[in-house]
């Protein structure tokens, strides 16, 4: 799309919705300080409660960005309405794509969990599990991360505007780590690192900050989690420690879930 | 005909998280005033159990995308207190610098993108930019400077990765920090301009008799402090939080309400900090305060936009001073030994006091975690203020009155996802037995 | 003549090079490793440090002395400076009806690489062949190489993972260096390998080295040669590896391998990259950039959703056999220089020397590789499209259009070649040429992805970017006087179309042409009117079959092999095949059954082409690059790998 000729094509209508989450992924859009005003010109932001009090939850939308996991029955209804009103639905972040950190409760006794936090858990309309959006409606694209990466969000929007597939490769964090010139913390420091099995996109921040990747972008395609876990064990980690390392912000993603369950004791 | 009027907004906008409010006024009597939070709870304190203390800074960051650093800072303070370790001055200073970044980012977001549209009459900052481009760009510039600071120290602006119990996984080089100077210097100038601009905004009249609560230390309250100051009541150790305050679950809300033990609602956040500690502001911020026309003690919540601007000046000035005197901490991180221990810690999130407490087992795994965020502390106070403006609302048409309520709520910069958490309750245990119903 | 120089004068050397405008890159300590980064003075060198390495293990350690080069090799190689991990290739101006593509240039300062080891210099020489050996030369790489100053250093100590001696790349520096040093205690013994090197040496406070000193340096190198931590038997290694593609050890590796791609990233010779278009939210500027890629990633071998190397086993096999076997057929050298980085920086410590030895020792008979090919150099930057205007758009079927483009001046493709077609900020796709002549060229395309959908939506007057023609054509002249059988499936008729047209024009040369064509349904038949025209010629017969007929269809129903009757398929004929790979597999089996010799069969393949000029590595097909050795292959040359998982 050409900015000098905005009449030519209708501006795509964008909606931003939130389910159970920390708001960090939608905040990422507001954190695009250099691009925010340009984005607001290029697309018609018709519903974005965190940033605007002008609401239009029923759309219709060309694209919606959905943050957060499904945690309550109201959210489930809301999600179906969103899907109905949107041509393309993009999930943003680990909560929406994998259930988020709150999906840790999926591994525990839910009632006991609610009791630990709330004295009157019966007041809470909570679903037994925190689940990703794709478990309930069809999803057109997933932006991974806890939180999502600003450059990837801009790439998604820029790609949508010209009609190309966004360049968001499903490769290991190691690829970005090496391109960045960071030094491998597994090899030099024997640290536990999920980089080899984790979807790239963050730019390999953790290794560049001298610590192992903790998997917040979730599993990459064909992750050999079993081989990595074996290696962790050989390096002296206990089964529980291995289970915990696969069980963080994308714990409920199938590949990480299964690997953590293998090491539960 | 009844003189009863209802003001309500089903989805509060330009706040972080999901909440609604409901105010029923009959004449000048307020029948109901509820700020209710329907943001889904996420049970952080429950799933913190069994996690290693080293994982805590990563996990608690996820409570809030706007103030993750605050969560990390309160958590490391609590855990380091538990493990009886005192950070070196260099590590403390670096943490303060990181926290300055978050104050800048969060305050700039709030002042320009969330609150300013109320004062200038727009639905959003994007709309506002059509008529006030330079203003919005100034806000974005400052916000970016704050985010850049967090990125250099922590790898990314949201959920930074370098904060560890015991220090930082990596400390930046003086050259990396030096590269931030130009943006921070410009930010300082922008912040001073912002104080002037914000001082000129017409704020509705409202004076309440607040109890202010802040952290208390030698410096302006930010990342450090072992005492909590309660206005009119004195100073108390952070460890005594439970003796001072209590949290309650209320039916209409997924968040817990916090009050003083005697039931008094209280206020934390920028206005509380300014009233308690203005003399400890950076001299540049103190000078800005002098020109702002604010008179202390400040009791008008709508004026908190000016206070945030002054705190922006403070954060920029302090960040520049820290960078000028920076030397890389050696080592950047200390290995702390796990121990069966417990401890509390608090810091001043952009929107107010954030208190954490952890109990650890001998292997360093969390046995219990408690987190009291500023918005649950302010919630009762917000409702009290909604009651207080009822007479004024009668003079406005319905839409304007509703907007006025929203503006008031936004003045607190409520962070609703923070507020929906968590907690083992000290009172009202009756419901627990019926929990099998779900 | 060798010279001696006190090591402290390394500071003078660095200052001299910086003074000459070079950006000096050399070893320095960062993140507990010796990395390559910009040096401001000799103080940045890793004085007194060494590295201890093992499979999946690297530790920085102090040495008893103050050697500057007392380590082996670290996590970085020089490739990150000569072939950067991310780089803009093309600048694109979009937003008007005449988009422009121009080469992005590297205007940075010349690089002085200080401390280049023998194995590393050999690796640079290998990448020189990849990026400058033809047919196209990578302009940005060449500029950096020509400006680059190389200060090499001989190894006097071998590491646990070193095997340069086995690969014949070290430990003594050979080849194209400017200065070469051997560190002896607190001294350096130097000699110049170029005029630039001599000129530098003259400005240093060195003095002639006595023979005894030079001998000591040589002895230290020889001691190093004898202390290699690893060995690899390279005798006949390529053929032995290619003969053991089914070795069970591959599965054993696959169980351990994380497919993270670290081995390819740290390898100083691995050159695979991907290309993508970039654009911002509103601005009219866009770009095309490349970034390091790895054969361990899924996208490396994916087209239209199909993955040629779907599992870790086949990805590891691709890497190992490329590095140690097929590389020799592609570039006339092994792809391995024996630096050991892939062993050290593999998180789980998979050892190439162990795996390759085990697999090469398998029971399979050696399979020799084709000899290395040379390519006539071609002018111009093969990576930069030129604008071409769309003259006509014809709809062939519901999802196939035929674009008639104005051909650039002097454009003369051969039958079966392909072009890369681009739209600004969307990217480019390989597209076979379906017709050419009289200043026009034609492309018949089916919209399957974003790029083809955008191309298929073009109107007359629009401008596309064009690169090409690329690849080997159909050997049509070999068919003169013979039976020619063209077997096509679906859109696979397009790459054959211009060849058909030529046979129509030269009936005397091509007395017997037969087209066997299968599609999904009658509606999917392309060039239907043209087909009718062709069969007017008495020497040409066409047979069409469809998978599913409809009420109006009275022709053949079934797959294309049903048309391959004995009378249509003389043994002496020449066969050109093009279509989906599964269709070609069945057709080849049928031809084999009919006794057609493999060397009479040619087929056109499709792989994941990105650069189309033989340097990005994405379209590797065993020893071949589909973009420059194909897309048309003689069947016997690829029969051993055709249809095999992993190729």
């Amino acid at each position: 799309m050409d900015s000098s000729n905005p009449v030519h094509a209708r501006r795509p209508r964008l909606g931003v919705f939130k389910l159970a989450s920390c708001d960090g992924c939608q905040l990422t859009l507001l954190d695009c300080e250099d691009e925010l005003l340009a984005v607001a010109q290029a697309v018609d932001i018709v519903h974005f409660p965190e940033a605007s009090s002008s609401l239009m939850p029923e759309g219709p939308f060309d694209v919606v960005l959905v943050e957060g996991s499904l945690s309550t029955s109201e959210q489930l209804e809301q999600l179906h309405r969103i899907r109905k009103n949107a041509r393309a639905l993009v999930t943003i972040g680990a909560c929406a794509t994998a259930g988020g950190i709150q999906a840790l409760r999926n591994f525990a006794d839910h009632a006991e969990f609610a009791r630990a936090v709330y004295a009157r858990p019966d007041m809470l309309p909570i679903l037994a599990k925190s689940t990703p959006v794709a478990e309930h409606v069809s999803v057109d694209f997933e932006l991974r991360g806890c939180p999502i990466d600003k450059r990837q969000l801009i790439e998604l929007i820029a790609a949508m505007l010209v009609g190309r597939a966004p360049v968001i490769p499903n490769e290991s964090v190691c690829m970005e780590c090496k391109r960045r010139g960071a030094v491998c913390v597994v090899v030099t420091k024997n640290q536990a690192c999920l980089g080899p099995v984790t979807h790239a996109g963050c730019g390999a921040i953790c290794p560049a900050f001298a610590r192992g990747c903790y998997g917040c972008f979730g599993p990459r395609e064909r992750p050999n989690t079993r081989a990595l876990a074996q290696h962790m064990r050989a390096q002296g980690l206990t089964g529980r420690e291995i289970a915990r390392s696969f069980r963080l912000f994308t714990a409920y993603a199938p590949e990480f879930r299964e690997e953590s369950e293998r090491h539960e004791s | 005909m009844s003189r009863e009027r209802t003001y309500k907004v089903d989805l509060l906008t330009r706040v972080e998280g999901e909440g609604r409010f409901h105010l029923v006024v009959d004449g000048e009597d307020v029948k109901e005033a509820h700020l209710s939070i329907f943001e889904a709870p996420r049970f952080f304190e429950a799933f913190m159990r069994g996690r290693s203390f080293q994982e805590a800074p990563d996990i608690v960051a996820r409570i809030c995308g706007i103030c993750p650093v605050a969560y990390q800072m309160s958590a490391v303070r609590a855990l380091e207190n538990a493990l009886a370790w005192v950070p070196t001055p260099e590590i403390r200073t670096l943490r303060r610098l990181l926290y300055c970044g978050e104050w800048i980012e969060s305050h700039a977001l709030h002042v320009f993108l969330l609150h300013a549209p109320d004062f200038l009459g727009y639905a959003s900052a994007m709309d506002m930019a059509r008529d006030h481009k330079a203003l919005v760009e100034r806000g974005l510039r400052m916000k970016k400077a704050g985010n850049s600071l967090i990125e250099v120290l922590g790898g990314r602006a949201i959920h930074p990765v370098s904060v560890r119990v015991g220090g930082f996984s990596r400390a930046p080089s003086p050259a990396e920090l030096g590269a931030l100077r130009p943006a921070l210097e410009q930010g300082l100038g922008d912040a001073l301009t912002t104080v002037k601009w914000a001082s000129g905004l017409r704020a509705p009249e409202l004076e309440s008799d607040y109890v202010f609560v802040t952290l208390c230390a030698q410096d302006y309250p930010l990342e450090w402090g072992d005492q909590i100051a309660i206005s009119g009541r004195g100073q108390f150790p952070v460890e005594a939080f439970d003796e001072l305050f209590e949290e309650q679950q209320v039916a209409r809300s997924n968040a817990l309400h916090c009050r003083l033990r005697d039931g008094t609602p209280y206020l934390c956040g920028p206005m509380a900090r300014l009233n308690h500690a203005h003399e400890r502001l950076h001299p540049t911020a103190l000078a800005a305060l002098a020109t702002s026309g604010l008179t202390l003690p400040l009791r008008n919540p709508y004026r908190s936009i000016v206070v945030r601007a002054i705190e922006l000046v403070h954060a920029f000035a302090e960040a520049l001073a820290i960078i000028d005197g920076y030397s890389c901490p050696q080592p950047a991180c200390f290995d702390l030994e796990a121990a069966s221990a417990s401890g509390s810690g608090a810091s001043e999130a952009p929107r107010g006091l954030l208190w954490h407490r952890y109990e650890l087992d001998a292997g360093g795994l969390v046995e219990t975690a408690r987190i009291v965020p500023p918005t649950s502390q302010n919630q009762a106070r917000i409702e009290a203020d909604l009651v207080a403006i009822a007479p004024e609302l009668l003079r406005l048409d319905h839409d304007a009155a509703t907007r006025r309520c929203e503006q008031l709520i936004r003045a607190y910069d409520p962070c609703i996802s923070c507020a929906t958490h968590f907690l083992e309750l000290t009172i009202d245990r009756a419901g627990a037995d019926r929990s099998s119903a779900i | 003549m060798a010279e001696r120089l006190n090591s402290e004068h390394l500071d003078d050397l660095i200052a001299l090079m910086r003074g000459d405008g070079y950006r000096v890159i050399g070893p320095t300590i960062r993140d507990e490793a010796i990395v390559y980064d910009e040096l401001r003075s000799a103080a940045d060198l890793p004085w007194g440090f060494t590295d201890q390495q093992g499979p999946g293990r690297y530790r920085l350690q102090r040495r008893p002395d103050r050697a500057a080069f007392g380590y082996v090799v670290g996590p970085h190689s020089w490739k990150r400076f000569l072939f950067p991990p991310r780089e803009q290739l093309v600048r694109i101006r979009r937003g008007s009806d005449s988009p422009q593509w121009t080469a992005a240039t590297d205007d940075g300062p010349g690089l002085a690489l200080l401390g280049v080891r023998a194995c590393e210099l050999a690796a640079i020489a290998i990448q020189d062949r990849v990026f400058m050996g033809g047919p196209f030369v990578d302009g940005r790489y060449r500029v950096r190489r020509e400006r680059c100053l190389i200060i090499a250093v001989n190894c006097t100590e071998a590491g646990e993972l070193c095997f340069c001696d086995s690969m014949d790349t070290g430990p003594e520096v050979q080849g194209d260096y400017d200065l070469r040093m051997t560190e002896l205690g607190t001294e350096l013994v130097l000699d110049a390998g170029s005029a630039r090197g001599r000129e530098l040496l003259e400005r240093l406070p060195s003095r002639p080295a006595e023979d005894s000193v030079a001998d000591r340096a040589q002895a230290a190198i020889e001691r190093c040669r004898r202390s290699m931590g690893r060995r690899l038997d390279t005798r006949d290694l390529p053929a032995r590896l290619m003969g053991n593609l089914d070795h069970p050890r591959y599965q054993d590796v696959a169980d351990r391998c994380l497919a993270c791609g670290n081995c390819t990233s740290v390898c100083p010779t691995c050159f695979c990259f991907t290309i993508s278009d970039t654009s911002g939210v509103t601005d009219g500027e866009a770009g095309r950039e490349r970034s390091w890629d790895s054969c361990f990633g899924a996208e490396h071998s994916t087209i239209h959703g199909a993955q040629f190397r779907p599992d870790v086993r086949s990805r590891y096999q691709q890497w190992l056999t490329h590095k140690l076997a097929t590389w020799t057929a592609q570039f006339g050298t092994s792809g391995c220089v024996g630096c050991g980085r892939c062993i050290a920086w593999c998180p789980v410590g998979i050892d190439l020397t162990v795996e390759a030895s085990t697999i090469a020792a398998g029971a399979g008979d050696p399979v020799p590789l084709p000899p290395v090919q040379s390519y006539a150099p071609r002018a111009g930057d093969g990576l930069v499209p030129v604008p071409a205007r769309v003259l006509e758009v014809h709809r062939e079927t519901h999802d196939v259009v035929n674009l008639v483009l104005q051909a650039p001046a002097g454009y003369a493709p051969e039958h079966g070649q392909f072009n890369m077609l681009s739209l600004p900020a969307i990217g480019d796709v390989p597209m076979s040429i379906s017709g050419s002549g009289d200043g026009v060229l034609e492309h018949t395309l089916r919209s399957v992805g974003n790029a083809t959908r955008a191309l298929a939506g073009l109107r007359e007057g629009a401008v596309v970017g064009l690169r090409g023609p690329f690849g080997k054509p159909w050997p049509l002249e070999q068919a003169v006087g013979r039976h020619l059988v063209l077997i096509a499936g679906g859109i696979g008729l397009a790459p054959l179309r211009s060849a058909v047209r030529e046979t129509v024009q030269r009936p005397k040369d091509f007395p017997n042409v037969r087209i066997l064509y299968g599609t999904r349904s009658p509606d999917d038949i392309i060039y239907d009117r043209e087909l009718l025209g062709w069969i007017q010629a008495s020497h040409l017969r066409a047979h069409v079959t469809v998978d599913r007929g409809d009420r109006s269809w009275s022709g053949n129903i079934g797959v294309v092999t049903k048309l391959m009757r004995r009378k249509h398929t003389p043994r002496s004929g020449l066969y050109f095949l093009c279509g989906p790979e599964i269709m070609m597999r069945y057709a080849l089996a049928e031809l084999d059954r009919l006794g057609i010799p493999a060397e009479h069969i040619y087929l056109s393949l499709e792989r994941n082409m990105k650069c189309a000029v033989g340097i990005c590595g994405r379209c590797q097909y065993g020893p071949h690059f589909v973009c420059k050795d194909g897309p048309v292959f003689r069947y016997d040359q690829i029969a051993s790998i055709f249809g095999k998982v992993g190729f």
Side-chain angles (χ1 to χ4, degrees), chain C residues 202-223:
Chain C
E202 278 162 17
R203 290 192 279 162
L204 286 169
S206 64
R207 58 202 165 90
E210 303 77 1
D211 286 352
S212 63
V213 176
D215 290 349
R216 271 204 297 141
Q218 203 57 43
I221 296 167
E222 290 314 312
R223 269 199 310 280

Side-chain angles (χ1 to χ4, degrees), chain A residues 1-3 38-39 42 158 161-165 167 169-170 172 174-175 178-181 183-184 187-190 196 220-222 224 227-228 231, chain C residues 30 32 58-59 76 80 85 94-95 254-260 262 265-266 279-282 292 296 298-299 310 315 344-345 347-348 425-426 450:
Chain A
M1 187 187 290
D2 176 13
S3 59
V39 169
L161 289 169
V162 296
R164 71 160 177 273
V167 181
N170 187 344
S172 70
C174 298
M175 290 300 296
K178 290 291 181 282
R179 289 192 201 110
R180 182 175 185 147
V183 179
C184 180
V187 171
T188 55
K189 293 201 264 258
N190 213 13
R220 58 175 275 225
E221 56 86 36
R222 287 180 198 279
N224 198 345
L228 183 62
H231 183 70
Chain C
R30 195 219 318 141
E32 296 171 48
Y58 177 104
R59 293 291 182 276
H76 291 171
R80 66 182 308 103
R94 62 183 176 124
D255 291 340
R256 287 173 280 140
C257 173
L258 304 171
C260 58
N262 280 342
S265 295
V266 297
S279 61
V281 174
T282 53
W292 287 0
F296 284 93
E299 282 164 60
R315 294 180 197 172
W345 300 96
V348 294
I426 290 182
N450 287 297

Side-chain angles (χ1 to χ4, degrees), chain A residues 31-217:
Chain A
D31 273 359
C32 299
E33 289 97 1
D34 292 334
E35 300 90 355
L36 181 64
L37 297 182
V39 169
Q41 270 186 358
V43 305
D44 188 7
I45 304 176
V46 294
H47 181 82
F48 186 7
E50 187 174 65
S52 172
S53 45
S54 152
L55 300 179
M56 215 180 288
E58 301 300 320
F61 305 103
D62 293 299
V63 183
V64 292
L65 305 176
V66 179
E67 169 191 278
S69 70
L70 280 301
S71 235
T72 66
S73 40
E74 283 91 344
Q75 286 172 335
L76 208 50
E77 289 162 28
Q78 188 193 2
L79 177 63
H80 284 285
R81 277 199 307 277
I82 295 169
R83 176 70 269 190
K84 209 176 70 210
N85 297 326
R87 274 179 48 206
L89 187 154
V90 178
T91 48
I92 55 170
C95 297
T97 58
I101 183 84
Q102 57 273 18
L104 287 179
R105 78 163 188 262
N106 302 2
F107 297 90
D109 171 14
H110 167 66
E112 193 275 330
F113 245 55
R115 266 202 305 282
V117 177
Y118 294 91
R120 300 272 313 273
D122 53 312
M123 292 178 186
L124 304 171
I126 300 296
L127 297 169
K129 281 186 160 56
S130 164
T131 48
V133 169
E135 210 165 282
H136 307 280
V137 298
S138 67
V139 169
D140 298 286
F141 196 82
E142 292 190 333
L143 263 193
R144 307 281 202 91
C146 183
I148 57 168
D149 180 76
K150 182 156 99 174
R151 289 154 302 182
Q152 290 205 331
L153 178 63
I154 290 296
E155 167 61 11
L156 180 91
I157 294 170
M160 173 188 82
L161 289 169
V162 296
R164 71 160 177 273
V167 181
I168 293 176
N170 187 344
E171 60 185 5
S172 70
V173 169
C174 298
M175 290 300 296
E176 295 187 309
C177 190
K178 290 291 181 282
R179 289 192 201 110
R180 182 175 185 147
V183 179
C184 180
V185 298
V186 181
V187 171
T188 55
K189 293 201 264 258
N190 213 13
Q191 291 204 18
C193 178
L194 294 190
V197 296
T198 299
H199 193 297
C202 64
I205 297 168
C206 285
F209 277 74
R211 56 177 297 199
C213 162
Y214 53 79
C216 64
F217 275 58

Side-chain angles (χ1 to χ4, degrees), chain B residues 14-28:
Chain B
R14 282 188 275 122
V15 297
E16 196 256 6
E18 297 192 309
R20 59 173 70 100
F21 78 87
H22 190 88
L23 181 67
V24 184
V25 182
D26 189 358
E28 298 216 345

